[in-house]
Coordinates of all heavy atoms in Angstrom, one line a residue:
M1 N 7.5 -4.4 4.3 CA 7.7 -4.7 2.9 C 6.8 -3.9 2.0 O 5.6 -3.7 2.2 CB 7.2 -6.2 2.6 CG 8.4 -7.1 2.6 SD 7.8 -8.8 2.6 CE 7.3 -9.1 4.2
A2 N 7.4 -3.2 1.0 CA 6.5 -2.6 0.0 C 5.8 -3.7 -0.8 O 6.3 -4.8 -0.9 CB 7.3 -1.7 -0.9
T3 N 4.7 -3.4 -1.3 CA 4.0 -4.3 -2.2 C 4.5 -4.0 -3.6 O 4.9 -2.9 -4.0 CB 2.5 -4.1 -2.1 OG1 2.1 -4.1 -0.8 CG2 1.8 -5.2 -2.9
Y4 N 4.7 -5.1 -4.4 CA 5.1 -4.9 -5.8 C 4.2 -5.7 -6.7 O 3.5 -6.6 -6.3 CB 6.6 -5.2 -6.0 CG 6.9 -6.6 -6.2 CD1 7.5 -7.0 -7.4 CD2 6.7 -7.5 -5.2 CE1 7.9 -8.4 -7.5 CE2 7.0 -8.9 -5.4 CZ 7.6 -9.3 -6.5 OH 7.9 -10.6 -6.7
I5 N 4.3 -5.4 -8.0 CA 3.4 -6.1 -9.0 C 4.3 -6.9 -9.9 O 5.3 -6.4 -10.4 CB 2.7 -5.0 -9.8 CG1 1.7 -4.3 -8.9 CG2 2.0 -5.7 -11.0 CD1 0.9 -3.1 -9.6
T6 N 4.0 -8.2 -10.0 CA 4.8 -9.1 -10.7 C 4.5 -9.1 -12.2 O 3.5 -8.5 -12.6 CB 4.7 -10.6 -10.2 OG1 3.4 -11.0 -10.7 CG2 4.7 -10.7 -8.7
E7 N 5.3 -9.7 -13.0 CA 5.1 -9.7 -14.5 C 3.9 -10.5 -14.9 O 3.5 -10.5 -16.1 CB 6.4 -10.3 -15.1 CG 6.6 -11.7 -14.7 CD 8.0 -12.3 -15.3 OE1 8.8 -11.4 -15.7 OE2 8.2 -13.5 -15.3
D8 N 3.2 -11.1 -13.9 CA 1.9 -11.7 -14.3 C 0.8 -10.7 -14.5 O -0.3 -11.1 -14.9 CB 1.5 -12.7 -13.2 CG 2.4 -13.9 -13.1 OD1 3.0 -14.2 -14.1 OD2 2.5 -14.5 -12.0
C9 N 1.0 -9.5 -14.2 CA 0.0 -8.4 -14.4 C -0.6 -8.4 -15.8 O 0.1 -8.5 -16.8 CB 0.7 -7.1 -14.1 SG -0.4 -5.6 -14.5
I10 N -1.9 -8.3 -15.9 CA -2.6 -8.3 -17.2 C -3.1 -6.9 -17.5 O -3.9 -6.8 -18.4 CB -3.8 -9.3 -17.2 CG1 -4.8 -9.1 -16.0 CG2 -3.3 -10.8 -17.1 CD1 -6.1 -9.8 -16.1
N11 N -2.6 -5.9 -16.8 CA -3.0 -4.5 -17.1 C -4.5 -4.2 -17.1 O -5.0 -3.5 -17.9 CB -2.4 -4.1 -18.5 CG -0.9 -4.0 -18.4 OD1 -0.4 -3.3 -17.6 ND2 -0.2 -4.7 -19.3
C12 N -5.2 -4.8 -16.1 CA -6.6 -4.6 -16.0 C -6.9 -3.2 -15.4 O -8.0 -2.6 -15.7 CB -7.3 -5.7 -15.3 SG -7.0 -5.6 -13.5
G13 N -6.0 -2.7 -14.6 CA -6.2 -1.4 -14.0 C -7.0 -1.4 -12.7 O -7.3 -0.3 -12.2
A14 N -7.5 -2.5 -12.3 CA -8.4 -2.6 -11.1 C -7.7 -2.1 -9.9 O -8.4 -1.5 -9.0 CB -8.8 -4.0 -10.9
C15 N -6.4 -2.2 -9.7 CA -5.7 -1.9 -8.5 C -5.5 -0.4 -8.4 O -5.6 0.2 -7.2 CB -4.4 -2.6 -8.4 SG -3.3 -2.3 -9.9
E16 N -5.3 0.3 -9.5 CA -4.9 1.7 -9.4 C -5.8 2.6 -8.5 O -5.3 3.3 -7.6 CB -4.8 2.3 -10.8 CG -4.2 3.7 -10.8 CD -4.1 4.3 -12.2 OE1 -4.4 3.6 -13.2 OE2 -3.6 5.4 -12.3
P17 N -7.1 2.6 -8.7 CA -8.0 3.5 -7.9 C -8.1 3.0 -6.4 O -8.6 3.8 -5.6 CB -9.3 3.4 -8.6 CG -9.3 2.2 -9.3 CD -7.9 1.9 -9.7
E18 N -7.7 1.8 -6.1 CA -7.9 1.3 -4.8 C -6.8 1.8 -3.8 O -7.0 1.7 -2.6 CB -7.9 -0.2 -4.8 CG -9.0 -0.9 -5.6 CD -10.3 -0.5 -5.2 OE1 -10.6 -0.4 -3.9 OE2 -11.2 -0.2 -6.0
C19 N -5.7 2.2 -4.4 CA -4.5 2.6 -3.5 C -4.8 3.9 -2.8 O -5.0 4.9 -3.4 CB -3.2 2.7 -4.3 SG -1.8 3.1 -3.3
P20 N -4.7 3.9 -1.4 CA -5.0 5.1 -0.7 C -3.9 6.2 -0.9 O -4.0 7.3 -0.5 CB -5.1 4.7 0.8 CG -4.3 3.4 0.8 CD -4.4 2.8 -0.5
N21 N -2.7 5.7 -1.4 CA -1.6 6.6 -1.5 C -1.3 7.0 -3.0 O -0.3 7.7 -3.2 CB -0.3 6.0 -0.9 CG -0.6 5.6 0.5 OD1 -1.0 6.4 1.3 ND2 -0.2 4.3 0.8
E22 N -2.1 6.6 -3.9 CA -1.9 6.9 -5.3 C -0.5 6.4 -5.7 O 0.2 7.1 -6.5 CB -2.1 8.4 -5.7 CG -3.5 8.8 -5.4 CD -3.8 10.2 -5.8 OE1 -2.9 10.9 -6.4 OE2 -5.0 10.7 -5.6
A23 N -0.1 5.3 -5.2 CA 1.2 4.7 -5.5 C 1.3 3.9 -6.8 O 2.4 3.5 -7.2 CB 1.7 3.9 -4.3
I24 N 0.1 3.6 -7.3 CA 0.1 2.7 -8.5 C -0.1 3.4 -9.8 O -1.0 4.3 -9.8 CB -1.0 1.6 -8.3 CG1 -0.8 0.8 -7.0 CG2 -1.1 0.7 -9.5 CD1 -1.9 -0.2 -6.7
S25 N 0.6 3.1 -10.8 CA 0.5 3.8 -12.1 C 0.7 2.8 -13.2 O 1.3 1.7 -12.9 CB 1.4 5.0 -12.2 OG 2.7 4.5 -12.1
E26 N 0.3 3.2 -14.4 CA 0.5 2.3 -15.5 C 2.0 2.5 -16.0 O 2.4 3.6 -16.3 CB -0.4 2.8 -16.6 CG -0.7 1.7 -17.7 CD -1.8 2.1 -18.6 OE1 -2.4 3.2 -18.4 OE2 -2.0 1.4 -19.6
G27 N 2.7 1.4 -15.9 CA 4.1 1.5 -16.4 C 4.3 1.2 -17.9 O 3.3 1.1 -18.6
D28 N 5.5 1.0 -18.3 CA 5.7 0.8 -19.7 C 5.1 -0.5 -20.2 O 4.5 -0.6 -21.3 CB 7.2 0.7 -20.0 CG 7.8 2.1 -19.9 OD1 7.1 3.1 -20.0 OD2 9.0 2.2 -19.7
E29 N 5.2 -1.6 -19.4 CA 4.6 -2.9 -19.8 C 3.5 -3.4 -18.8 O 2.6 -4.0 -19.3 CB 5.8 -3.9 -19.8 CG 6.7 -3.6 -21.0 CD 7.9 -4.6 -21.1 OE1 7.8 -5.6 -20.4 OE2 8.8 -4.3 -21.9
I30 N 3.7 -3.1 -17.6 CA 2.7 -3.5 -16.6 C 2.5 -2.4 -15.6 O 3.3 -1.4 -15.6 CB 3.1 -4.8 -15.8 CG1 4.5 -4.6 -15.1 CG2 3.1 -6.0 -16.7 CD1 4.9 -5.7 -14.2
Y31 N 1.5 -2.5 -14.7 CA 1.3 -1.5 -13.7 C 2.4 -1.6 -12.7 O 3.0 -2.7 -12.5 CB -0.1 -1.7 -13.0 CG -1.2 -1.0 -13.8 CD1 -1.6 -1.6 -15.0 CD2 -1.8 0.1 -13.3 CE1 -2.6 -0.9 -15.7 CE2 -2.8 0.7 -14.0 CZ -3.2 0.2 -15.2 OH -4.2 0.9 -15.9
V32 N 2.8 -0.5 -12.1 CA 3.9 -0.5 -11.1 C 3.5 0.2 -9.8 O 2.6 1.1 -9.8 CB 5.1 0.2 -11.7 CG1 5.7 -0.6 -12.9 CG2 4.8 1.6 -12.2
I33 N 4.1 -0.1 -8.7 CA 3.9 0.5 -7.4 C 5.2 1.2 -7.0 O 6.3 0.7 -7.0 CB 3.6 -0.5 -6.4 CG1 2.3 -1.3 -6.7 CG2 3.4 0.1 -5.0 CD1 1.9 -2.4 -5.8
D34 N 5.0 2.5 -6.7 CA 6.2 3.3 -6.2 C 6.4 3.0 -4.8 O 5.6 3.3 -3.9 CB 5.9 4.8 -6.4 CG 7.0 5.7 -6.0 OD1 8.0 5.2 -5.3 OD2 7.0 6.9 -6.3
P35 N 7.6 2.3 -4.5 CA 7.8 1.9 -3.1 C 7.9 3.1 -2.1 O 7.7 2.9 -0.9 CB 9.1 1.1 -3.1 CG 9.7 1.5 -4.4 CD 8.6 1.9 -5.4
E36 N 8.2 4.3 -2.7 CA 8.3 5.5 -1.8 C 6.9 5.9 -1.4 O 6.8 6.7 -0.4 CB 9.0 6.6 -2.6 CG 10.4 6.3 -3.0 CD 11.4 6.2 -1.9 OE1 11.2 7.0 -0.9 OE2 12.2 5.3 -1.9
L37 N 5.9 5.5 -2.0 CA 4.5 5.9 -1.7 C 3.7 4.7 -1.1 O 2.7 5.0 -0.5 CB 3.8 6.3 -3.0 CG 4.4 7.6 -3.7 CD1 3.6 7.9 -4.9 CD2 4.4 8.8 -2.7
C38 N 4.2 3.5 -1.2 CA 3.5 2.4 -0.7 C 3.6 2.3 0.9 O 4.7 2.3 1.4 CB 4.0 1.1 -1.3 SG 3.2 -0.4 -0.7
T39 N 2.5 2.1 1.5 CA 2.5 1.9 3.0 C 1.9 0.6 3.3 O 1.6 0.3 4.5 CB 1.8 3.0 3.8 OG1 0.4 2.9 3.4 CG2 2.3 4.4 3.4
E40 N 1.8 -0.3 2.3 CA 1.1 -1.6 2.5 C -0.3 -1.3 3.1 O -0.8 -2.2 3.8 CB 1.9 -2.5 3.4 CG 3.3 -2.8 2.8 CD 4.2 -3.6 3.8 OE1 3.7 -4.4 4.5 OE2 5.4 -3.3 3.7
C41 N -0.8 -0.2 2.8 CA -2.1 0.3 3.3 C -2.2 0.5 4.8 O -3.3 0.7 5.3 CB -3.2 -0.7 2.8 SG -3.5 -0.5 1.0
V42 N -1.1 0.4 5.5 CA -1.1 0.7 6.9 C -1.6 2.1 7.2 O -1.3 3.1 6.5 CB 0.4 0.6 7.5 CG1 0.5 1.2 8.9 CG2 0.8 -0.9 7.6
G43 N -2.6 2.2 8.1 CA -3.2 3.5 8.4 C -4.6 3.5 7.8 O -5.4 4.3 8.2
F44 N -4.8 2.7 6.7 CA -6.1 2.8 6.0 C -6.9 1.5 6.0 O -8.1 1.5 6.2 CB -5.8 3.2 4.5 CG -5.3 4.6 4.4 CD1 -4.0 4.9 4.3 CD2 -6.2 5.7 4.4 CE1 -3.5 6.2 4.3 CE2 -5.8 7.0 4.3 CZ -4.4 7.2 4.2
Y45 N -6.2 0.4 5.8 CA -6.8 -0.9 5.7 C -6.0 -2.0 6.5 O -4.8 -1.8 6.7 CB -7.0 -1.4 4.3 CG -7.7 -0.4 3.4 CD1 -7.0 0.2 2.3 CD2 -9.0 0.0 3.6 CE1 -7.6 1.1 1.5 CE2 -9.6 0.9 2.8 CZ -8.9 1.5 1.7 OH -9.6 2.4 0.9
D46 N -6.7 -3.1 6.8 CA -5.9 -4.1 7.5 C -5.4 -5.2 6.5 O -5.1 -6.3 6.8 CB -6.8 -4.8 8.6 CG -8.0 -5.6 8.0 OD1 -8.2 -5.6 6.7 OD2 -8.8 -6.2 8.8
H47 N -5.4 -4.8 5.2 CA -4.9 -5.6 4.1 C -4.5 -4.7 3.0 O -4.8 -3.6 3.0 CB -6.0 -6.6 3.6 CG -7.2 -5.8 3.1 ND1 -8.2 -5.3 3.9 CD2 -7.5 -5.4 1.8 CE1 -9.1 -4.6 3.1 NE2 -8.7 -4.7 1.9
E48 N -3.7 -5.3 2.1 CA -3.3 -4.5 1.0 C -4.4 -4.4 0.0 O -4.9 -5.4 -0.6 CB -2.0 -5.1 0.3 CG -0.8 -5.1 1.2 CD -0.6 -6.3 2.0 OE1 -1.6 -6.9 2.4 OE2 0.5 -6.7 2.2
A49 N -4.9 -3.2 -0.3 CA -6.1 -3.0 -1.1 C -5.9 -3.5 -2.5 O -6.8 -4.0 -3.2 CB -6.5 -1.5 -1.1
C50 N -4.7 -3.3 -3.1 CA -4.4 -3.8 -4.4 C -4.5 -5.3 -4.5 O -5.1 -5.9 -5.5 CB -3.1 -3.3 -4.9 SG -1.7 -3.7 -3.9
Q51 N -3.9 -6.0 -3.5 CA -4.0 -7.4 -3.5 C -5.4 -7.9 -3.5 O -5.8 -8.9 -4.2 CB -3.4 -8.0 -2.2 CG -2.0 -8.5 -2.4 CD -1.4 -9.0 -1.0 OE1 -2.2 -9.5 -0.2 NE2 -0.1 -8.9 -0.9
A52 N -6.3 -7.2 -2.8 CA -7.7 -7.7 -2.6 C -8.5 -7.7 -3.9 O -9.4 -8.4 -4.1 CB -8.4 -6.8 -1.6
V53 N -8.1 -6.8 -4.8 CA -8.8 -6.7 -6.1 C -8.1 -7.3 -7.3 O -8.8 -7.5 -8.3 CB -9.2 -5.2 -6.4 CG1 -10.1 -4.6 -5.4 CG2 -7.9 -4.4 -6.7
C54 N -6.9 -7.6 -7.2 CA -6.1 -8.1 -8.4 C -6.7 -9.5 -8.8 O -6.6 -10.4 -8.0 CB -4.7 -8.2 -8.0 SG -3.7 -8.8 -9.4
P55 N -7.1 -9.6 -10.0 CA -7.7 -10.9 -10.5 C -6.7 -12.0 -10.7 O -7.1 -13.2 -10.8 CB -8.4 -10.5 -11.8 CG -7.7 -9.3 -12.3 CD -7.2 -8.6 -11.1
V56 N -5.4 -11.6 -10.8 CA -4.4 -12.7 -11.0 C -3.4 -12.8 -9.8 O -2.4 -13.4 -10.0 CB -3.7 -12.5 -12.4 CG1 -4.6 -12.7 -13.5 CG2 -3.0 -11.1 -12.4
E57 N -3.8 -12.1 -8.8 CA -3.0 -12.2 -7.5 C -1.5 -11.9 -7.7 O -0.7 -12.7 -7.3 CB -3.2 -13.6 -6.9 CG -4.7 -13.7 -6.4 CD -4.9 -15.1 -5.7 OE1 -4.0 -15.7 -5.3 OE2 -6.1 -15.4 -5.6
C58 N -1.3 -10.8 -8.4 CA 0.1 -10.5 -8.7 C 0.6 -9.3 -7.9 O 1.7 -8.7 -8.2 CB 0.4 -10.4 -10.2 SG -0.4 -8.9 -10.9
C59 N -0.1 -8.8 -6.9 CA 0.4 -7.7 -6.0 C 0.9 -8.4 -4.8 O 0.1 -9.0 -4.0 CB -0.8 -6.8 -5.7 SG -1.6 -6.0 -7.1
L60 N 2.2 -8.5 -4.7 CA 2.8 -9.3 -3.6 C 3.7 -8.5 -2.7 O 4.3 -7.5 -3.2 CB 3.5 -10.5 -4.2 CG 2.7 -11.4 -5.1 CD1 3.6 -12.5 -5.8 CD2 1.6 -12.1 -4.3
P61 N 4.0 -9.0 -1.5 CA 5.0 -8.3 -0.7 C 6.4 -8.5 -1.4 O 6.7 -9.5 -1.9 CB 5.0 -9.1 0.6 CG 3.7 -9.9 0.6 CD 3.4 -10.1 -0.9
N62 N 7.1 -7.4 -1.4 CA 8.4 -7.4 -2.0 C 9.5 -7.8 -0.9 O 9.8 -7.0 0.0 CB 8.8 -6.0 -2.6 CG 10.1 -6.0 -3.3 OD1 10.9 -6.9 -3.2 ND2 10.3 -5.0 -4.1
P63 N 10.0 -9.0 -1.1 CA 11.0 -9.4 0.0 C 12.3 -8.6 0.0 O 13.1 -8.6 0.9 CB 11.3 -10.9 -0.4 CG 10.9 -11.0 -1.9 CD 9.8 -10.0 -2.1
Q64 N 12.5 -7.8 -1.1 CA 13.7 -7.0 -1.2 C 13.5 -5.7 -0.3 O 14.5 -5.0 -0.1 CB 14.0 -6.5 -2.6 CG 14.0 -7.7 -3.6 CD 15.2 -8.6 -3.4 OE1 16.2 -8.1 -2.9 NE2 15.1 -9.8 -3.8
I65 N 12.2 -5.3 0.0 CA 12.0 -4.1 0.7 C 11.1 -4.4 1.9 O 9.9 -4.4 1.9 CB 11.3 -3.1 -0.2 CG1 12.0 -2.8 -1.5 CG2 11.1 -1.7 0.6 CD1 11.4 -1.9 -2.5
V66 N 11.8 -4.8 3.0 CA 11.1 -5.1 4.2 C 11.1 -3.9 5.1 O 12.1 -3.3 5.4 CB 11.9 -6.3 5.0 CG1 11.1 -6.6 6.3 CG2 11.9 -7.5 4.1
E67 N 9.9 -3.5 5.6 CA 9.7 -2.4 6.4 C 8.8 -2.7 7.6 O 8.0 -3.5 7.6 CB 9.1 -1.2 5.6 CG 10.0 -0.7 4.5 CD 9.3 0.3 3.6 OE1 8.4 0.0 2.9 OE2 9.7 1.5 3.8
T68 N 9.1 -1.9 8.7 CA 8.3 -2.1 9.9 C 7.0 -1.3 9.8 O 6.8 -0.4 9.1 CB 9.1 -1.6 11.1 OG1 9.3 -0.2 11.0 CG2 10.4 -2.3 11.3
E69 N 6.0 -1.8 10.7 CA 4.8 -1.0 10.8 C 5.0 0.4 11.1 O 4.4 1.3 10.6 CB 3.9 -1.7 11.8 CG 2.5 -1.0 11.9 CD 1.7 -1.6 13.0 OE1 2.1 -1.6 14.2 OE2 0.6 -2.1 12.7
E70 N 6.0 0.6 12.0 CA 6.3 2.0 12.5 C 6.8 2.9 11.3 O 6.3 4.0 11.2 CB 7.5 1.9 13.5 CG 7.7 3.1 14.3 CD 8.8 2.9 15.3 OE1 9.6 1.9 15.2 OE2 8.9 3.7 16.2
A71 N 7.6 2.3 10.5 CA 8.1 3.1 9.3 C 6.9 3.4 8.3 O 6.8 4.4 7.7 CB 9.2 2.3 8.6
L72 N 6.0 2.4 8.2 CA 4.9 2.5 7.2 C 3.9 3.5 7.7 O 3.4 4.3 6.9 CB 4.3 1.2 7.0 CG 5.2 0.2 6.2 CD1 4.7 -1.2 6.3 CD2 5.4 0.6 4.8
I73 N 3.5 3.5 9.0 CA 2.6 4.5 9.5 C 3.2 5.9 9.4 O 2.5 6.9 9.1 CB 2.0 4.2 10.9 CG1 0.8 5.1 11.2 CG2 3.1 4.3 12.0 CD1 -0.4 4.9 10.4
A74 N 4.5 6.0 9.7 CA 5.2 7.3 9.6 C 5.1 7.8 8.2 O 4.9 9.0 7.9 CB 6.6 7.2 10.0
R75 N 5.3 6.9 7.2 CA 5.2 7.4 5.8 C 3.7 7.8 5.5 O 3.5 8.8 4.8 CB 5.6 6.2 4.8 CG 5.5 6.6 3.4 CD 6.0 5.5 2.5 NE 7.4 5.2 2.8 CZ 7.9 4.0 2.8 NH1 7.2 3.0 2.6 NH2 9.2 3.8 3.1
A76 N 2.8 7.1 6.0 CA 1.4 7.4 5.7 C 1.1 8.8 6.3 O 0.4 9.7 5.6 CB 0.4 6.4 6.3
I77 N 1.6 9.1 7.5 CA 1.3 10.4 8.1 C 2.0 11.5 7.2 O 1.4 12.6 7.0 CB 1.9 10.4 9.5 CG1 1.1 9.5 10.4 CG2 2.0 11.8 10.1 CD1 1.8 9.2 11.8
K78 N 3.2 11.2 6.7 CA 3.9 12.2 5.9 C 3.2 12.5 4.6 O 3.1 13.6 4.1 CB 5.3 11.7 5.7 CG 6.3 12.7 5.3 CD 7.7 12.1 5.4 CE 8.6 13.0 4.4 NZ 9.9 12.3 4.2
L79 N 2.7 11.4 4.0 CA 2.0 11.5 2.7 C 0.7 12.2 2.8 O 0.2 12.7 1.8 CB 1.8 10.1 2.1 CG 3.0 9.4 1.6 CD1 2.7 7.9 1.3 CD2 3.7 10.1 0.4
H80 N 0.0 12.2 4.0 CA -1.3 12.7 4.1 C -1.4 13.7 5.3 O -2.1 13.5 6.2 CB -2.3 11.6 4.4 CG -2.3 10.6 3.3 ND1 -3.1 10.7 2.1 CD2 -1.7 9.4 3.2 CE1 -2.9 9.6 1.3 NE2 -2.0 8.8 2.0
P81 N -0.6 14.8 5.1 CA -0.6 15.8 6.3 C -1.9 16.4 6.6 O -2.2 16.9 7.7 CB 0.4 16.8 5.8 CG 0.5 16.7 4.3 CD 0.2 15.3 4.0
D82 N -2.8 16.5 5.6 CA -4.1 17.1 5.8 C -5.2 16.2 6.1 O -6.4 16.6 6.2 CB -4.5 17.9 4.5 CG -3.5 19.0 4.2 OD1 -2.9 19.5 5.2 OD2 -3.2 19.2 3.0
D83 N -4.9 14.9 6.2 CA -5.9 13.9 6.6 C -6.1 13.8 8.1 O -5.4 13.1 8.8 CB -5.6 12.5 6.0 CG -6.6 11.5 6.2 OD1 -7.5 11.6 7.1 OD2 -6.7 10.5 5.4
A84 N -7.0 14.6 8.6 CA -7.1 14.7 10.1 C -7.5 13.4 10.7 O -7.1 13.1 11.8 CB -8.2 15.8 10.4
D85 N -8.4 12.6 10.0 CA -8.8 11.3 10.6 C -7.6 10.4 10.7 O -7.4 9.7 11.7 CB -9.8 10.7 9.7 CG -11.2 11.4 9.8 OD1 -11.3 12.1 10.8 OD2 -12.0 11.2 8.9
L86 N -6.8 10.3 9.7 CA -5.6 9.5 9.7 C -4.6 10.0 10.8 O -4.1 9.1 11.6 CB -4.8 9.5 8.4 CG -3.4 8.8 8.4 CD1 -3.6 7.3 8.6 CD2 -2.7 9.1 7.1
Q87 N -4.4 11.3 10.9 CA -3.5 11.8 11.9 C -4.0 11.4 13.4 O -3.2 11.1 14.2 CB -3.4 13.3 11.8 CG -2.9 13.8 10.4 CD -1.5 13.6 10.1 OE1 -0.7 13.4 11.0 NE2 -1.1 13.5 8.9
K88 N -5.3 11.5 13.5 CA -5.9 11.2 14.8 C -5.7 9.7 15.1 O -5.3 9.3 16.2 CB -7.4 11.5 14.8 CG -8.1 11.3 16.1 CD -9.5 12.0 16.1 CE -10.3 11.8 17.4 NZ -10.9 10.5 17.5
R89 N -6.0 8.8 14.1 CA -5.9 7.4 14.3 C -4.4 7.1 14.7 O -4.2 6.2 15.6 CB -6.2 6.6 13.0 CG -7.7 6.7 12.7 CD -8.1 5.6 11.6 NE -7.4 5.7 10.3 CZ -7.9 6.5 9.4 NH1 -9.0 7.2 9.5 NH2 -7.3 6.5 8.2
A90 N -3.5 7.7 14.0 CA -2.1 7.4 14.3 C -1.7 7.9 15.7 O -1.0 7.2 16.4 CB -1.2 8.1 13.2
A91 N -2.2 9.1 16.0 CA -1.8 9.6 17.4 C -2.3 8.7 18.5 O -1.7 8.6 19.5 CB -2.4 11.0 17.5
E92 N -3.5 8.1 18.2 CA -4.1 7.3 19.2 C -3.6 5.8 19.1 O -4.1 4.9 19.8 CB -5.6 7.3 19.1 CG -6.2 8.7 19.5 CD -7.7 8.8 19.2 OE1 -8.3 7.9 18.6 OE2 -8.2 9.9 19.6
N93 N -2.7 5.6 18.2 CA -2.2 4.2 17.9 C -3.4 3.3 17.7 O -3.3 2.1 18.2 CB -1.3 3.8 19.0 CG -0.5 2.5 18.7 OD1 -0.3 2.2 17.5 ND2 -0.2 1.7 19.6
D94 N -4.4 3.7 17.0 CA -5.6 2.9 16.7 C -5.9 3.0 15.2 O -6.8 3.7 14.9 CB -6.7 3.4 17.6 CG -7.9 2.6 17.5 OD1 -7.8 1.4 17.0 OD2 -9.0 3.1 17.8
Y95 N -5.2 2.3 14.5 CA -5.4 2.4 13.0 C -5.3 1.0 12.4 O -4.7 0.1 12.9 CB -4.3 3.3 12.4 CG -2.9 2.9 12.7 CD1 -2.2 1.9 12.0 CD2 -2.2 3.6 13.8 CE1 -0.9 1.6 12.4 CE2 -0.9 3.3 14.1 CZ -0.3 2.3 13.4 OH 1.0 1.9 13.7
P96 N -6.0 0.8 11.2 CA -5.9 -0.5 10.6 C -4.5 -0.8 10.0 O -3.9 0.1 9.5 CB -7.0 -0.4 9.5 CG -7.4 1.0 9.4 CD -6.8 1.8 10.5
S97 N -4.1 -2.0 10.1 CA -2.8 -2.4 9.7 C -2.8 -3.9 9.4 O -3.3 -4.7 10.2 CB -1.8 -2.1 10.7 OG -0.6 -2.7 10.5
R98 N -2.1 -4.3 8.4 CA -2.0 -5.7 8.1 C -1.2 -6.4 9.2 O -1.2 -7.7 9.4 CB -1.3 -6.0 6.8 CG 0.1 -5.4 6.6 CD 0.7 -5.7 5.3 NE 1.2 -7.0 5.2 CZ 2.5 -7.4 5.5 NH1 3.3 -6.5 5.9 NH2 2.8 -8.7 5.5
F99 N -0.4 -5.7 10.0 CA 0.4 -6.2 11.1 C -0.5 -6.6 12.3 O -0.1 -7.2 13.2 CB 1.4 -5.2 11.5 CG 2.5 -5.0 10.5 CD1 2.3 -4.0 9.5 CD2 3.7 -5.7 10.5 CE1 3.2 -3.7 8.6 CE2 4.6 -5.4 9.5 CZ 4.4 -4.4 8.5
R100 N -1.7 -6.0 12.3 CA -2.6 -6.2 13.5 C -3.8 -7.1 13.3 O -4.7 -7.0 14.0 CB -3.1 -4.8 13.9 CG -1.9 -3.8 14.2 CD -2.4 -2.5 14.6 NE -1.3 -1.6 14.9 CZ -1.3 -0.5 15.6 NH1 -2.5 -0.1 16.1 NH2 -0.2 0.2 15.9
K101 N -3.8 -7.8 12.2 CA -5.0 -8.6 11.9 C -5.1 -9.8 12.9 O -4.1 -10.3 13.4 CB -4.9 -9.2 10.5 CG -5.4 -8.3 9.5 CD -5.8 -9.0 8.2 CE -4.6 -9.3 7.3 NZ -5.0 -9.8 6.0
Ligands
LIG201 FE1 -2.2 -5.7 -12.9 FE2 -3.4 -6.9 -10.9 FE3 -3.3 -4.2 -11.0 FE4 -4.8 -5.6 -12.8 S1 -5.1 -5.5 -10.5 S2 -3.4 -3.9 -13.2 S3 -3.6 -7.5 -13.1 S4 -1.6 -5.7 -10.7

């Protein structure tokens, strides 16, 4: 599932710098997450970093976009070709993931 931001967003901006994929940006009315860039933090954290900091808990799993851990780590690898640590973690199948908590 990609994470998405609901209309409860108060535009505080706390989530934007937390995303390891730079998937969050200020939209026309509220902050938005690009699902093409969201990996639900798989490969980086065992939880969604935006969810952890959002003061109104409006960063939620998008039930319309359900994805496997396999697809999400593949996206992370593709998005960060120069991140040697991530590539190593992925190759060793030893990376943080919300699926492995
Ligand atoms: Fe909106 Fe929550 Fe992000 Fe603040 S942390 S901008 S309230 S989604």
Side-chain angles (χ1 to χ4, degrees):
M1 259 171 286
T3 308
Y4 82 119
I5 295 174
T6 75
E7 60 188 18
D8 291 335
C9 174
I10 56 170
N11 289 307
C12 72
C15 54
E16 186 178 359
E18 301 300 322
C19 178
N21 303 313
E22 297 183 5
I24 303 176
S25 60
E26 201 171 354
D28 290 339
E29 294 180 8
I30 57 171
Y31 276 71
V32 292
I33 298 176
D34 182 345
E36 299 291 322
L37 298 178
C38 179
T39 64
E40 302 171 35
C41 291
V42 165
F44 293 95
Y45 305 117
D46 67 359
H47 60 278
E48 294 92 324
C50 55
Q51 256 181 35
V53 298
C54 180
V56 292
E57 297 182 13
C58 69
C59 303
L60 301 176
N62 186 345
Q64 310 291 335
I65 307 178
V66 179
E67 294 178 287
T68 63
E69 180 184 61
E70 195 179 13
L72 294 166
I73 190 67
R75 180 175 301 138
I77 291 167
K78 200 171 157 193
L79 288 171
H80 302 276
D82 299 326
D83 186 334
D85 289 341
L86 171 67
Q87 303 288 336
K88 183 168 181 283
R89 292 197 295 274
E92 294 174 351
N93 193 25
D94 184 19
Y95 52 83
S97 164
R98 59 179 285 268
F99 295 85
R100 302 179 178 200
K101 275 204 278 192

